[in-house]
């Protein structure tokens, strides 16, 4: 891969905290700024959850592939976004989803204060679209700055990391947060207002999410703009979300299973992202490079229909259902073994094997990472009431 | 302690889940029903968070003391309320505050569905106060029943535990949830509408909480009734919260520090609770027993003024501030040692010792359990804008 | 599978400890005793390490298959051997290999006191072989009894579990301890003196272990007898290890990867074990059942040549080498990604991808469970100086 | 404390490993070399176990106090010796005693290869004492170098840290490894051959340890020299351990309880260490400084009599026994609460409170860190058959 590179990405080291020993928490940031930018700016980060490492490999491949592209906008790439989670082992596995001290999900710590929206719309009721875009972005940045720098009570470890990432992301128009499921197919969280974009990723399953804020990066990016557009609407001024000043898109891209690095798969994922970026004009076709989405059946459902199935019993699970394929009602998702219920007698093996099935057709998307589950552990996540894109 | 007992508490074992091996999760339930009940019913639980064990000892002492009391109402006592958290060690300490799989705080899993309130008020607009009490309680119980028993998607491990506790608690009028802080003074969470009750506990610090639901047991108990009273108000019918059908009180009692059992202190805490119960008529004075609250200065603040201070740096902490005593502005709460910054030269010891102070007078209530903190770890919780009760 | 069963296994529940809440730790024990026993007795356990669950499924399949066999000896089967480890989650995964409080490997807690050997041999120098077998077995059982029941200082949580399992195992002649690797091929730990037996398992990789005791179940079974045979040798009386009174065999069977239950694979593994038991005369061929080992290339090496490779650097690992296939010197076992070293310039991608290889031909057997490794994490285990059986 | 300093300690940063993200593991090293050294060289480290932080504060105070001392030998001080353990939180507490991936105790990873001793003695049978000291120290250093730098299979994360610390420590004559107990009195591990030194520390309890190597720092320091002296003895050449070339002393200093920093107590501990160093001639009295051990009753026992008491039951513990004071036979060490056994009836409170006592007089030294124990958890450590120094 050590070929001549046309586009040189600049590397910075961002300080995002410090540990008890004083060890600095740092995040590497790669960025490219073209001479003139004529397309939406891009921000892509990976590995906010500790065990979800494949996004780092995707950023590696993006850097390799982008070196030969015709780039039309600023691009910022951030692997290892969460240096606490990334290095936190407990047993052999990486403890990943939440702050080990507080239990708070690392991807629920971004900032959005609904209260600033209505006043801003009122104060900028007659502003041009360009002014709105610039002023509102500045407001979002000022709020983060305020939290980070002018706060006698301080902020949590996770907020300090999240806010600094958010500062960079607010300066982009297209934001991708690279995650993975536990053991999982590829799937995409996409805002409802920008459904068309889901067709440009090589990802066969999309969840369309509404416009509520629950602390995640993707929501922190588009919810303020959505709320602003609503506020203008109430004041009688109409904008189309996803266009003009409001041409903001953000996605959580679930790349497959956690605890895995696969550089070959990562190259395919990078090309999928580049197909989306080419569609958005961020890169333009040249002789050597032309990124197009693959032909595939793409299923989708609304967030309310993306259901978690919690295990009805404790036991050890033989996961049976194939990801991404509609599973008829009554067909088993899994078999649960309960050796403590084994009875050896003339009538059989007691109550030691249980099929888990649903009364409706679903598409299994992911399942739990371990074979051992308690009663109430999240066993599967599935699409119900799905449809083709 | 093996003396003759007048009042015999019945013991039941409640099943609240099962583990991967099939091991049953059980909770012991002690209950007493007097011949005729003329006072508010009582529900007290302990140890929902794994490391917060002192409440179990308090329930032990309550059982001992109550055996000789004149009891006027049903009393239910539940130690070891959370058998997952209670037995969950990681290293030497008990991992306590959240589900180790999901990170969700065990005390944020109770149920309340705001959506049922308005329809109930409308349908029961002309009901008597007694009917309202009975019907609404039944509605709350039915909702839990529905979640527990008629739900194809299942519920989480923590919800299964919480809902079963909540079923019992909904049948009481006075609910105490016994917790502790990390390293902590005694303090009490008390709903704003029932401030007077705070004077009957031997607890020098009270936080008055508003009527919003955030998933905790105390909130799950009074918020539905508060919301109902508000709904009636909007329909033009007026009730006083804390009286009549709405004579519901619930408290989170923080007994001091976690990871400690002290039976002598537990006896004092039990007497404090009995003083409150005597004030409420649940027990009546007899020749041998008369429980009165102690004379003491009781400080309080509103929840919005109960502030967490997050560490401005990583390091190792020498906690200095005494709990429960107003600390003047500028006085150090703690000193943070940073040996990595030590410089041995003619000008001193470098940047290795940092005083942490605030620009206002506060009462320190609790501090973090460990001497090692990251930047952003919750260092202290303090009262600001406090007042005497 | 609910067919008529000829052989009924008895089920007992063994108490092996209790948790802080008082919850009992229990282990299910399945046993079969034929009318007359003419073959070596068998003991098989599974899941001593929490995440190594596949052995439970193998015991399920053994119970199913054995119900129709002609059984010639006592057989004891113990799934869920370690109820602490089995239910211990930390994050999504099962924390498995060691006591979470002390860090001691659960499979290093069995008992063997070398000091009793020489005195026993001297006292029983003229005993018959049958007497030796009976008396020495009794001595081993007495020692465990002493530790469990007559010990004012107590024993650890893990010892209490291990000793009770060991009590049962000492009464058998053939002992199988079912484990798994992290992400792993199937492999077998076999004592050097009983190499021939390795050919009867459908397991392509065998490690021949010497006669030293390091605390594991398999060692706790054969080391005392090996030491006894040596002690007799020094006293001038000669026995052959593996024959007569010394016909003791014990194996650690590594069934593949942890955190997985697969009932179909478990059936194959059960048949592999039955082939070994049929070879030993424990079951005899009948019309329906004839268990024979499969034809396959079986590789082996000595324990000293079963090498762990510790990661020379921190990073994220793309594991490349196929298990069970000789890997030529210089071929990469893995690639390690280090995005923090990525440099985008005309000369390439910096120091961000590292191939890990060895200077000799090896057979990769297993690798680490996570993609994230620190410098010094055990990356792979491999056979060097291997040979065909 | 920012006063003029006569002695300036040099600070170096030692690299001891790297994490998955590439983050460097570093340890700060403070060292002082006098113009001419006429006394034994000193090495002191702290915080090898993550939660045992008080030693860092002691090193802070040593640096402060030593700046005004007359120093006669090289002194090396290493706080934060284990940057993995030091920063490893799980829940609120610092996970401290073992590698979270492997479970191996961080203080069992030092190196000593007995096999090199006899050949060295034979090859240096006629060497002068000075040559022996220099050559043997070089041999120990070469061995470490070999492990660290010339090893195709690599070493573990903990070995890499331990060996680098050991490299520095081998160059000293007096080595102190600063630890703490869980909840603990101050106590000292002292080699049997150097009993007199125990009187110079302000520590009331000493455990005399034999000369076997079990992987700890203190053992790694004196065992090689002890073995060498024994080897010479067998060859007919006699040295006194603790004198001349063999004037090596090493101690594990247990400073009290873990998870605490107290700078005031640390100053007392620092003075206690300086009293020992003054006794050894490392510092000499001057006008301002004269460090003498305090008068106190010092108890001691042999390692075989330093007994762990494992909990005979699961439950919640009210620790009663005072540290450091002989506890008569039959007096309770602790009371264990078992609410699940509570029975409320005419005969009492059931089997809910258990006194834990011993049949002999002991001195309690430390107890477990948590109130919750399983059956088999180490409850107390005590001196039996103790004596006054």
């Amino acid at each position: 891969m050590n070929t001549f590179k046309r586009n040189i990405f600049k590397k910075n080291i961002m300080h995002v905290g410090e540990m008890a020993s004083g060890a600095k928490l740092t995040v590497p940031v790669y960025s490219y700024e073209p001479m003139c930018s004529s397309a939406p700016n891009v921000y892509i980060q990976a590995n906010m959850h500790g065990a979800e490492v494949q996004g780092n490999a995707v950023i590696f491949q993006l850097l390799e592939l982008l070196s030969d592209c015709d780039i039309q906008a600023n691009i910022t790439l951030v692997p290892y976004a969460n240096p606490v989670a990334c290095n936190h082992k407990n047993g052999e596995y990486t403890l990943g989803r939440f702050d080990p001290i507080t239990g708070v999900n690392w991807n629920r710590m971004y900032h959005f204060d609904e209260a600033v929206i209505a006043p801003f719309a009122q104060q900028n009721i007659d502003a041009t679209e360009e002014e709105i875009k610039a002023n509102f972005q500045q407001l979002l940045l000022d709020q983060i700055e305020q939290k980070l720098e002018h706060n006698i009570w301080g902020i949590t470890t996770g907020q300090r990391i999240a806010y600094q990432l958010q500062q960079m992301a607010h300066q982009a128009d297209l934001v991708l947060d690279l995650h993975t499921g536990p053991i999982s197919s590829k799937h995409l969280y996409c805002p409802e207002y920008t459904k068309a974009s889901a067709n440009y990723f090589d990802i066969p399953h999309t969840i369309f999410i509404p416009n509520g804020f629950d602390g995640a990066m993707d929501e922190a990016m588009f919810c303020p703009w959505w709320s602003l557009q609503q506020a203008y609407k109430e004041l009688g001024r109409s904008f189309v979300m996803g266009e003009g000043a409001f041409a903001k898109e953000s996605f959580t891209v679930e790349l497959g299973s956690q605890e895995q690095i696969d550089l070959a798969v990562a190259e395919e994922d990078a090309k999928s992202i580049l197909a989306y970026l080419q569609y958005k004009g961020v890169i333009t076709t040249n002789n050597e490079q032309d990124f197009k989405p693959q032909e595939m059946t793409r299923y989708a459902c609304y967030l309310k229909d993306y259901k978690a199935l919690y295990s009805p019993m404790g036991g050890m699970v033989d996961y049976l259902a194939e990801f991404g394929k509609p599973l008829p009602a009554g067909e088993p998702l899994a078999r649960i073994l309960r050796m403590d219920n084994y009875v050896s007698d003339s009538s059989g093996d007691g109550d030691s094997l249980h099929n888990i099935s649903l009364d409706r057709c679903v598409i299994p998307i992911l399942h739990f990472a371990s074979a051992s589950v308690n009663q109430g552990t999240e066993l599967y996540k599935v699409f119900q009431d799905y449809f083709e894109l």
Side-chain angles (χ1 to χ4, degrees), chain A:
Chain A
M1 297 178 177
N2 295 331
T3 55
F4 174 79
K5 295 184 183 189
R6 285 192 301 154
N7 305 318
I8 305 299
F9 276 71
K10 199 175 57 179
K11 176 180 175 180
N12 283 306
I13 301 299
M14 184 170 68
H15 287 250
V16 296
E18 61 194 18
M19 304 294 279
S21 72
K24 297 280 172 293
L25 296 170
T26 60
V27 171
V29 176
Y30 297 90
S31 57
Y32 180 85
E33 295 186 30
M35 300 288 280
C36 63
S37 171
S38 62
N41 293 325
V42 176
Y43 172 86
I44 303 177
Q45 72 177 19
N47 206 185
M48 189 65 188
H49 287 141
E52 305 180 6
V53 292
Q54 176 70 356
N56 300 314
V58 173
I59 286 178
F60 174 85
Q61 298 291 18
L62 282 171
L63 282 163
E64 294 290 298
L65 290 164
L66 282 167
S67 74
D68 283 326
C69 290
D70 291 326
I71 304 178
Q72 311 299 330
N74 296 343
I75 298 180
T76 302
L77 302 173
V78 182
Y80 305 157
N82 185 336
V84 179
C86 176
N87 288 323
H88 193 149
K89 288 275 183 215
N90 220 7
E92 298 155 83
Y93 299 94
T94 304
L95 194 141
R97 301 187 62 74
F98 45 82
D99 182 326
I101 299 178
T102 63
V104 181
N105 188 321
W106 293 113
N107 192 23
R108 295 292 178 280
M109 302 198 198
Y110 296 92
H111 181 73
F112 170 44
D113 180 3
E114 180 80 40
V116 304
I117 302 295
F120 178 91
Q122 275 164 333
Q123 283 156 34
N124 295 267
I125 186 64
D126 297 321
T128 66
E129 205 159 337
E130 261 174 45
E131 286 166 350
I132 290 171
K133 182 170 178 181
N135 294 349
F136 190 61
Q137 180 174 305
Q138 194 56 50
L139 172 65
L140 295 174
L141 291 172
D142 289 349
Q143 282 208 297
I144 298 292
E145 169 84 5
Q146 191 66 22
K147 286 276 175 189
L148 276 168
E149 304 298 343
H150 308 285
N151 184 341
I152 68 154
W153 299 104
I155 53 176
T156 68
T157 306
Q159 286 168 339
R160 184 168 299 278
I161 296 169
Y163 293 177
Q164 289 187 253
L165 298 170
Q166 193 171 352
Q167 269 184 323
M168 292 187 289
H170 273 319
Q171 298 173 59
D173 306 291
L174 311 178
V175 171
L176 304 186
D177 194 9
L178 307 185
H179 283 252
T180 79
I183 295 178
S184 177
S185 67
K186 295 183 187 177
H187 54 291
L188 181 74
Y189 288 88
C190 173
E192 291 182 7
Y193 67 80
T194 184
K195 283 183 189 173
S197 293
N199 288 297
Y200 290 85
F201 293 92
D202 296 338
I203 296 181
H205 315 104
T206 297
I207 300 127
F208 291 123
I209 61 173
N211 304 298
F213 179 70
D214 194 31
M217 173 55 109
D218 54 355
E219 297 160 354
M221 290 300 109
F222 75 82
C223 286
W225 297 91
W226 174 266
S227 297
L228 183 62
Q229 174 245 17
Q230 292 296 104
Y232 273 113
K233 199 171 177 180
E234 284 178 27
L235 296 175
R237 193 170 169 193
S238 176
F239 295 103
V240 178
M241 187 62 198
E243 296 183 12
F246 295 84
K248 297 279 180 176
E249 298 195 0
S250 58
F251 306 88
T252 299
V253 183
E254 304 275 346
L255 295 161
S257 301
Q258 68 194 15
E259 288 288 20
Q260 288 180 13
I261 286 282
D262 187 314
L263 282 152
V265 172
E267 190 177 358
E268 295 311 306
D269 292 327
K271 287 178 177 167
S272 155
I273 290 170
L274 292 175
Y276 168 70
L277 295 186
Q278 182 171 314
Y279 157 67
K280 285 291 178 181
V282 176
I283 54 173
T284 48
T285 320
N286 62 28
N287 290 341
E288 295 164 37
Q289 310 267 17
D290 188 15
F291 298 101
K292 297 280 184 207
Q294 290 176 29
E295 296 282 321
M296 62 170 67
T297 306
R298 288 179 172 79
Y299 290 106
C301 76
Y302 289 95
L303 186 60
K304 70 174 177 51
D305 295 319
Y306 185 42
K307 304 294 284 183
L309 174 66
Y310 299 98
S311 183
M313 61 191 305
M316 298 192 178
V317 186
D318 188 356
Y319 297 96
L320 298 173
E322 210 177 312
F323 293 143
K325 229 178 84 178
L327 182 79
E331 287 293 303
L333 281 152
R335 267 189 299 205
I336 299 191
L337 177 66
R338 275 290 293 276
M339 281 308 295
D340 62 313
N341 286 339
Y342 193 92
V343 179
S344 161
D345 64 14
S346 59
S347 67
D349 56 16
D351 199 25
S352 55
L353 267 186
H354 297 257
N355 277 345
I356 304 297
S357 61
L358 287 164
D359 63 355
R360 63 202 67 187
C361 182
V362 297
I363 300 179
I365 298 297
L366 60 83
H367 68 65
F368 191 54
S370 163
S372 299
V373 299
N374 299 331
Q375 190 178 21
T377 299
E378 189 183 290
L379 205 58
Y380 266 93
K381 292 194 85 170
V382 301
F383 282 10
Q384 74 169 356
D385 296 338
Y386 54 87
F387 46 90
E388 284 193 32
L389 281 192

